[in-house]
Amino acid sequence: MDNFTLRQLRYFEALAQHGHFGRAAEACAISQPALSVQIRELEETLGAALFERNARQVRLTGFGEDVAAKVRDILLSADELADFARLSRDRLTGRLRIGVIPTIAPYLLPTIIGDLTRRYPGLDMRLRETLTPRLIQELAEGRLDTAIVALPVSEPSFTEVPLFSEEFVLVRPSADADKPVPNAETLREMRLLLLEEGHCFRDQALSFCNMNSSLPRELLDGSSLSTLVQMVGAGIGVTLIPEMAVPVETRSASVSLARFDAPRPSRRIGMIWRNTTPLADQLQEVAEVVRQSAETLAGRAAGATART
Amino acid sequence: MDNFTLRQLRYFEALAQHGHFGRAAEACAISQPALSVQIRELEETLGAALFERNARQVRLTGFGEDVAAKVRDILLSADELADFARLSRDRLTGRLRIGVIPTIAPYLLPTIIGDLTRRYPGLDMRLRETLTPRLIQELAEGRLDTAIVALPVSEPSFTEVPLFSEEFVLVRPSADADKPVPNAETLREMRLLLLEEGHCFRDQALSFCNMNSSLPRELLDGSSLSTLVQMVGAGIGVTLIPEMAVPVETRSASVSLARFDAPRPSRRIGMIWRNTTPLADQLQEVAEVVRQSAETLAGRAAGATART
DNA sequence: TTGTTGCAATAACTTAAAACTATGGACAAC
DNA sequence: GTTGTCCATAGTTTTAAGTTATTGCAACAA
């Protein structure tokens, strides 16, 4: 087996360079006998003499010269590894895999991508948009580093940190703009358009009306908030969308917005990660950046809602 | 400073591969706590977590994956070094720098180059032809590994091994073929052509006649044995050449050869190397190959002399 | 020859590193 | 709860690497 050590290779390089045991030892900050022993052991492991010692000088053998070239290569790679580690230390770097639910992703991502790359230059951000159960699964399997979802998730192996709350806004045809704002009960009488099954936002909306997802209802499910708003604009029914979606989704559709009276429906959005992730500290930082991005966005959204 | 060890890198690779401390430790033939400690120390040296440990599995972090790639590279280079050493062990390999004096080189080299490359495939042989003093200097300085010269050299720092003796043959014009063979005294009366100063063979020839090199003589010095023989052919004088040169140098010239009566002039040819060279064992082997090459050559030379 | 000097090797010993066994604590599964 | 798996920690022993002191060899000057 080849059990020489990196230390021996460093000593070897020093001796090859200085051609003198005493000075090479000094350069390595060890005593001359220590160097002699390590060089001898390296020669024994390799099975051939690396140096020719004579009374006036220490010189590499032909074999030693060949070895020296390879040793330089190894030590260079080792130093590069150390450098790489030093540069990565205490810094969020390399790959960061973030999962986001579909009712957040289109509105929040454009902002946070910019904010995060600005905050962490050189970060290789990989984004995944899918439904909560899959995000949870991928996070548990280590295929994601973190996810932005609606809280609570209640997985004991995950840490949750709240980011913000967002209220739900009623979207109804422009014609209804002057009608009174319905409450949870009256909403149940209306034709409520919802996202298809699996979206957490669907359940959150239903829960506001105290309705059960699995009850037989006359339903028209949309695959995205955008679709739902278009359907409302066509006079097919009403829907709820999260506040954050308002500026994007109601820009071009002829619909009217209405805010509920208290208790207003809302949901809490947060970040989750594995309890065991070594990135916990850095993810706390990321959460803070996301929180601020969302705050900025909410300000704009509120403005948009007010104008409508 | 970066003081991780190759051992830690090997353990790291095993753990990255197995994803399980117990099994990785087994693969490394150490106990599980030993592995845990070494991995922890590697992580401390690098300043960041390499693995995420949880109850069911051990998984590389993003940083760990980057490190794993670099570690593979380092370990590969280390293994290559070990392989290279193992292949070189006990085998004459790589560069071998041989010096030869000019009165031997043209006759011996063609044969021994062939014999040595046949005997040591992959040997990178580098030949140097020059006068003895320079060979000695270059050998002492480590710019040659060995030299083939006339013995004795009497350098206490060199080891000498005899290869063979060769007699000197008188070369005289064809017209003199039937004259009696001169002895040392009568030779002194003839016009003796010699190599220029610096060639050991010049001194060896002179010493046979009990003449001093520095004595004022009517001389015509040649720069090679070939030149001398041509001059003899032109009737300018007589010369001595070593037996080994006979087949090559007298092939085309119209000269006659004569062997002296006892005591015949001769010289001993041998190989020398630094006492301290680690190649001593291999050079002994080389000497044996050269000796046999010379023997073959001498047989042919004797045949040629007889025929003339 | 005979010190003397410079330098690497060796010896004897100490300190540091790495291994072992035994045990503890977290967590998932039953 | 209880059990089993698995990694971390503790305490101890073994091995590796370093120290100082000394020896031995070769070169050089007297």
Side-chain angles (χ1 to χ4, degrees):
Chain A
M1 190 50 194
D2 60 301
N3 38 14
F4 51 82
T5 67
L6 275 181
R7 185 182 314 211
Q8 286 171 345
L9 299 189
R10 291 193 195 286
Y11 293 174
F12 166 76
E13 192 178 46
L15 182 56
Q17 199 187 338
H18 288 95
H20 186 287
F21 277 78
R23 284 188 281 279
E26 190 182 11
C28 297
I30 57 169
S31 66
Q32 169 265 313
L35 182 67
S36 286
V37 170
Q38 290 305 314
I39 294 295
R40 174 164 51 75
E41 289 186 353
L42 180 57
E43 287 179 323
E44 280 168 8
T45 352
L46 296 183
L50 295 166
F51 295 95
E52 175 176 338
R53 297 102 158 126
N54 74 40
R56 69 190 67 188
Q57 60 189 326
V58 174
R59 187 186 320 117
L60 277 174
T61 61
F63 174 68
E65 280 182 20
D66 293 340
V67 171
K70 295 176 193 295
V71 165
R72 262 191 295 280
D73 183 48
I74 296 174
L75 293 181
L76 203 67
S77 303
D79 289 345
E80 279 172 9
L81 172 55
D83 288 346
F84 172 73
R86 194 165 34 73
L87 287 175
S88 313
R89 180 149 35 206
D90 300 328
R91 243 167 30 93
L92 187 57
T93 190
R95 193 193 54 190
L96 182 68
R97 297 160 304 181
I98 309 179
V100 190
I101 52 173
T103 47
I104 293 284
Y107 321 114
L108 191 59
L109 284 189
T111 313
I112 65 172
I113 287 175
D115 291 351
L116 285 177
T117 51
R118 217 169 300 119
R119 174 78 173 73
Y120 302 105
L123 181 63
D124 172 18
M125 222 182 318
R126 310 213 184 153
L127 296 157
R128 168 124 175 82
E129 176 189 324
T130 191
L131 304 178
T132 304
R134 174 153 282 167
L135 289 181
I136 288 176
Q137 188 189 350
E138 294 185 1
L139 192 56
E141 287 170 356
R143 295 164 57 201
L144 285 176
D145 296 308
T146 183
I148 297 175
V149 297
L151 299 186
V153 169
S154 303
E155 286 279 333
S157 62
F158 289 173
T159 301
E160 317 185 341
V161 303
L163 291 172
F164 55 87
S165 280
E166 59 173 359
E167 299 186 346
F168 301 164
V169 177
L170 179 69
V171 183
R172 49 187 181 174
S174 311
D176 297 357
D178 298 326
K179 294 188 182 170
V181 176
N183 60 21
E185 283 76 41
T186 57
L187 189 61
R188 224 176 310 171
E189 310 307 316
M190 308 175 77
R191 189 166 191 179
L192 183 61
L193 309 176
L194 292 174
L195 289 174
E196 45 201 9
E197 289 230 21
H199 285 275
C200 57
F201 184 67
R202 172 198 175 92
D203 304 323
Q204 288 146 8
L206 285 171
S207 119
F208 171 60
C209 316
N210 295 311
M211 290 166 76
N212 193 313
S213 175
S214 57
L215 276 176
R217 285 176 64 253
E218 180 195 6
L219 284 171
L220 272 168
D221 294 340
S223 64
S224 70
L225 295 179
S226 186
T227 309
L228 293 182
V229 173
Q230 293 304 319
M231 289 166 75
V232 171
I236 297 172
V238 304
T239 193
L240 298 180
I241 63 172
E243 207 166 359
M244 186 166 279
V246 167
V248 173
E249 301 300 352
T250 64
R251 204 170 2 182
S252 53
S254 58
V255 293
S256 81
L257 300 176
R259 294 178 154 274
F260 294 95
D261 298 322
R264 290 178 171 172
S266 72
R267 63 174 180 177
R268 289 185 306 124
I269 300 298
M271 258 178 69
I272 56 176
W273 53 75
R274 293 182 299 280
N275 296 329
T276 52
T277 186
L279 294 174
D281 292 351
Q282 287 96 322
L283 288 175
Q284 280 288 4
E285 266 184 47
V286 170
E288 190 51 43
V289 174
V290 174
R291 193 173 293 132
Q292 287 177 3
S293 303
E295 212 165 85
T296 313
L297 211 56
R300 269 188 271 156
T305 316
R307 276 196 307 279
T308 318
Chain B
M1 192 51 194
D2 60 301
N3 39 13
F4 51 82
T5 67
L6 275 181
R7 185 183 314 212
Q8 286 171 345
L9 299 189
R10 290 195 196 284
Y11 292 174
F12 166 76
E13 192 178 45
L15 182 56
Q17 200 187 337
H18 288 95
H20 186 287
F21 276 78
R23 282 188 283 279
E26 191 181 10
C28 298
I30 57 170
S31 67
Q32 168 266 311
L35 181 67
S36 286
V37 170
Q38 290 304 315
I39 294 294
R40 174 164 51 74
E41 290 186 353
L42 180 59
E43 288 178 322
E44 282 167 8
T45 321
L46 296 183
L50 295 165
F51 295 95
E52 175 177 339
R53 295 102 158 128
N54 72 41
R56 69 189 69 188
Q57 60 188 324
V58 174
R59 188 188 316 119
L60 278 172
T61 61
F63 173 67
E65 282 182 20
D66 292 339
V67 171
K70 295 175 193 296
V71 165
R72 263 191 295 280
D73 183 49
I74 295 174
L75 293 181
L76 204 67
S77 304
D79 289 345
E80 279 173 9
L81 171 55
D83 289 346
F84 171 73
R86 192 165 34 72
L87 287 175
S88 312
R89 179 148 38 205
D90 300 328
R91 242 170 27 95
L92 187 57
T93 190
R95 193 192 55 191
L96 181 68
R97 296 160 305 181
I98 309 179
V100 189
I101 53 173
T103 46
I104 293 285
Y107 321 114
L108 192 59
L109 285 189
T111 312
I112 63 171
I113 287 176
D115 291 352
L116 284 177
T117 51
R118 216 169 302 118
R119 172 79 174 74
Y120 303 105
L123 181 63
D124 172 19
M125 221 183 316
R126 310 212 184 153
L127 295 157
R128 170 122 176 82
E129 175 189 325
T130 191
L131 304 178
T132 304
R134 174 152 281 168
L135 289 180
I136 288 176
Q137 187 188 349
E138 295 185 1
L139 191 55
E141 287 170 356
R143 295 163 57 201
L144 285 176
D145 296 308
T146 183
I148 297 175
V149 295
L151 299 185
V153 169
S154 301
E155 285 278 334
S157 62
F158 289 172
T159 300
E160 317 186 341
V161 303
L163 291 171
F164 55 88
S165 280
E166 59 173 359
E167 300 187 347
F168 301 163
V169 177
L170 179 68
V171 184
R172 48 185 183 175
S174 312
D176 299 356
D178 297 328
K179 294 189 183 170
V181 175
N183 59 22
E185 283 76 39
T186 55
L187 190 60
R188 226 176 307 172
E189 310 306 316
M190 308 174 77
R191 189 167 193 179
L192 183 60
L193 308 176
L194 292 173
L195 290 175
E196 45 199 11
E197 289 229 23
H199 285 274
C200 56
F201 185 65
R202 171 194 176 92
D203 304 324
Q204 288 147 9
L206 286 172
S207 119
F208 171 59
C209 317
N210 294 312
M211 291 167 74
N212 192 315
S213 174
S214 58
L215 275 175
R217 285 177 62 254
E218 181 195 5
L219 284 169
L220 271 169
D221 295 340
S223 64
S224 70
L225 296 179
S226 186
T227 309
L228 293 182
V229 173
Q230 294 305 319
M231 288 165 76
V232 171
I236 297 172
V238 303
T239 193
L240 298 181
I241 64 172
E243 206 166 2
M244 187 166 280
V246 167
V248 173
E249 302 301 352
T250 63
R251 203 171 1 182
S252 54
S254 57
V255 293
S256 80
L257 299 176
R259 295 178 152 274
F260 294 97
D261 299 324
R264 288 180 172 169
S266 71
R267 64 174 180 176
R268 291 186 305 124
I269 300 297
M271 257 178 68
I272 56 176
W273 54 74
R274 291 183 300 282
N275 296 329
T276 51
T277 186
L279 294 175
D281 291 351
Q282 287 96 322
L283 288 175
Q284 280 287 4
E285 267 185 46
V286 170
E288 189 50 44
V289 174
V290 174
R291 192 174 294 132
Q292 286 178 4
S293 303
E295 212 164 84
T296 314
L297 212 55
R300 266 188 273 156
T305 316
R307 277 195 307 277
T308 316

